[in-house]
Amino acid sequence: MDKRLSLLMFSGDYDKAMAGLILANTARDMGMEVTMFFAFWGLSLIRDPDKMTLEDKTAYEKMLDLFTPKGPEALPMSRMNFSGLGKWMLEEMMEEQDAPRLIHFLKGARKKQVKFYACKLSVDIMGFKQEEFLPETEIVEAKVYLEDALTSDIQLFI
């Protein structure tokens, strides 16, 4: 199958990240090529919590770092978060259904070689560094994503 899926991940919400990663994994299972382009809050999904640093960051960048989720497991729910209670309830319900957690879908996408692109402008504005991201992440300009999306069969914005 020579089909391609292009996902633009703008949201930093747990449930929206789940939706994007479920689609990415399913598309790869169907033999599709998949690209995920992460911008602004979506970058939280591909930051490695073990490699985050405050070194060489401005005061604003340090403050932003304090208030952004520390990796995929720390993402909040988009609705009904209730200070984390809503996310906990969802994870409990998923466990009861033997459904994989977000981190498992992320690991699956990495293993299946989904392309991870980080928006260069978003990375620069937010003060993130290449080494803070998962190793598969390539920092690219929006033009690279748009050229990829133009040749994709399906484009989705999450």
Side-chain angles (χ1 to χ4, degrees):
M1 178 183 293
D2 290 340
K3 300 289 183 184
R4 299 184 60 221
L5 169 63
S6 178
L7 294 160
L8 193 156
M9 302 297 294
F10 183 78
S11 173
D13 296 322
Y14 185 91
D15 45 323
K16 293 176 183 176
M18 279 282 286
L21 286 169
I22 289 169
L23 292 171
N25 278 282
T26 303
R28 285 298 295 146
D29 290 344
M30 294 173 62
M32 296 175 71
E33 186 177 328
V34 179
T35 301
M36 297 181 82
F37 182 76
F38 300 87
F40 288 100
W41 309 120
L43 291 169
S44 295
L45 180 59
I46 54 171
R47 288 183 72 204
D48 186 334
D50 297 326
K51 296 183 180 172
M52 293 179 188
T53 180
L54 295 177
E55 189 176 319
D56 297 325
K57 291 191 177 187
T58 68
Y60 287 135
E61 292 168 348
K62 288 177 182 177
M63 285 185 350
L64 183 68
D65 197 79
L66 290 172
F67 294 111
T68 54
K70 305 299 181 247
E73 289 293 288
L75 297 178
M77 292 281 286
S78 64
R79 300 264 193 264
M80 298 176 22
N81 191 44
F82 304 123
S83 298
L85 182 61
K87 180 179 170 186
W88 175 81
M89 287 174 29
L90 176 65
E91 288 176 330
E92 289 292 312
M93 294 165 64
M94 290 168 54
E95 188 174 316
E96 287 176 10
Q97 296 295 318
D98 292 322
R101 295 173 56 102
L102 174 69
I103 195 69
H104 298 120
F105 284 110
L106 181 59
K107 287 178 183 177
R110 293 174 70 189
K111 188 176 186 179
K112 295 172 187 176
Q113 299 178 332
V114 168
K115 291 181 190 170
F116 291 160
Y117 289 156
C119 172
K120 181 179 183 336
L121 184 60
S122 299
V123 169
D124 291 347
I125 288 172
M126 297 180 85
F128 299 149
K129 301 179 181 336
Q130 174 72 53
E131 57 269 15
E132 292 182 84
F133 293 105
L134 299 174
E136 300 85 357
T137 305
E138 183 181 348
I139 298 175
V140 300
E141 293 183 1
K143 179 181 176 183
V144 172
Y145 166 73
L146 290 172
E147 288 170 344
D148 179 79
L150 281 171
T151 60
S152 294
D153 298 283
I154 303 170
Q155 304 91 23
L156 300 172
F157 183 96
I158 298 175

